[in-house]
Amino acid sequence: MARTIEELEKNHPCFGGCKFNAGRIHLPVSPGCNIACKFCDRSINDVEQRPGVTSKVISPDEANTFIDRALELVPTIKVAGIAGPGDTLATDFAFETFRKISGRHPELLSCMSTNGLLLYERADELLEVGIDTLTVTVNAVDPEIEAKLNDFIIFHGKKYEGVEGARILIENQLKGIKKVADAGVTIKINTVLVPGINDEHISEIARTVKELGALMYNIIPLIPQHKLSGIPRPTCEQLEKAREDAEKYIKVFRHCAHCRADAVGVPGISEYSKLVYQNRLNVRETFSHG
Ligand code: CLF
Ligand code: SF4
């Protein structure tokens, strides 16, 4: 459903609604992932069903109970978001969850975040579910650069490594963004800023996604870990330069709180996830698509 930017600026914390104390609840229903980002230390992909993984997520059937509990604590929650801990399109749990909560909580905006590998082919389903705002993480639009950030993808059951995998990922992300933006969904792009790899590439990403219909851009500084643990975290100056590069082309969001997949509250202001999920989850501080 197309939402006006004025409505989002007031009610969606990641489009400016923080000023109005608008909050969000993340529902961590999506365990698996289908790509292998070098900075992600979850080591989860959709072919590995490791013991313990499902115990760290909630089921779609439980979502309304956690939302009810969260709204009692934070009545200003306006958004139900799904941002992991894996990819929202790699399994069916995110769509199933949105279907279950729309009947009971039609007042909440539905927001989801994806790496975009399956965005193009699942776009019709996404539209039918009625997602209001979508975040796609695009770390490069050049396969040579993306291959330095991603080891492999699993696409239709087959593993593609390096530049070949990166090319398939980027093609599907960009086609998917266009398709969903053309249908009226508000799109934000996240880019993980990795010094020495994509820091000189931000303008090109921002220009490309804007042309395809994205509205907002958010740059997330790298948390150095996993295979990129040797790369220093971007400095404030590097982050600011990247934001300025992007801002020439697209509106930039500057208040990202680097939320966990189980965050509850107003980003950067309040955090109630422990109370709502009662320590049931054990998601480490790591990247969630946001
Ligand atoms: Fe969550 Fe992301 Fe939706 Fe916001 S978070 S799925 S768009 S409701 Fe927001 Fe958190 Fe930053 Fe994400 S502050 S990590 S940008
Ligand atoms: Fe998957 Fe996200 Fe981790 Fe990348 S960062 S491997 S897309 S869960």
Side-chain angles (χ1 to χ4, degrees), residues 12-15 24-26 79-83 111-113 133 135 188 190 218 220 253 255-260 267 288-290:
H12 196 309
C14 312
F15 287 83
R24 49 82 185 99
I25 174 168
H26 279 174
V79 176
I82 303 182
C111 182
M112 68 179 248
S113 183
T133 51
T135 294
K188 172 167 77 58
N190 277 357
N218 177 32
I220 300 183
F253 173 62
H255 301 286
C256 182
H258 315 141
C259 309
R260 290 158 45 112
S288 95
H289 308 275

Side-chain angles (χ1 to χ4, degrees), residues 185-257:
V185 176
T186 304
I187 299 187
K188 172 167 77 58
I189 304 297
N190 277 357
T191 295
V192 180
L193 180 67
V194 185
I197 298 184
N198 67 357
D199 51 341
E200 298 298 327
H201 185 50
I202 299 298
S203 305
E204 202 180 336
I205 302 173
R207 184 180 53 75
T208 306
V209 297
K210 173 70 184 178
E211 278 171 8
L212 295 170
L215 183 90
M216 183 76 92
Y217 195 70
N218 177 32
I219 299 170
I220 300 183
L222 172 76
I223 299 171
Q225 59 191 3
H226 193 46
K227 293 192 175 173
L228 299 188
S229 58
I231 295 183
R233 198 182 276 257
T235 61
C236 290
E237 290 73 27
Q238 285 172 320
L239 180 58
E240 194 43 42
K241 156 127 187 358
R243 286 172 169 165
E244 283 168 13
D245 287 350
E247 217 153 35
K248 289 177 205 142
Y249 301 97
I250 189 168
K251 202 167 172 173
V252 171
F253 173 62
R254 290 167 184 261
H255 301 286
C256 182

Side-chain angles (χ1 to χ4, degrees), residues 73-139:
L73 291 162
V74 195
T76 62
I77 285 178
K78 299 279 173 57
V79 176
I82 303 182
D87 184 61
T88 49
L89 297 177
T91 55
D92 290 329
F93 300 121
F95 285 160
E96 201 183 325
T97 302
F98 283 121
R99 286 192 180 103
K100 284 186 193 291
I101 64 182
S102 64
R104 187 171 168 95
H105 288 289
E107 78 284 8
L108 296 178
L109 293 166
S110 54
C111 182
M112 68 179 248
S113 183
T114 175
N115 63 36
L117 177 64
L118 298 180
L119 182 56
Y120 183 69
E121 64 192 57
R122 301 202 74 181
D124 291 331
E125 220 176 327
L126 184 145
L127 298 171
E128 177 258 310
V129 167
I131 302 301
D132 294 301
T133 51
L134 177 75
T135 294
V136 187
T137 300
V138 179
N139 294 325

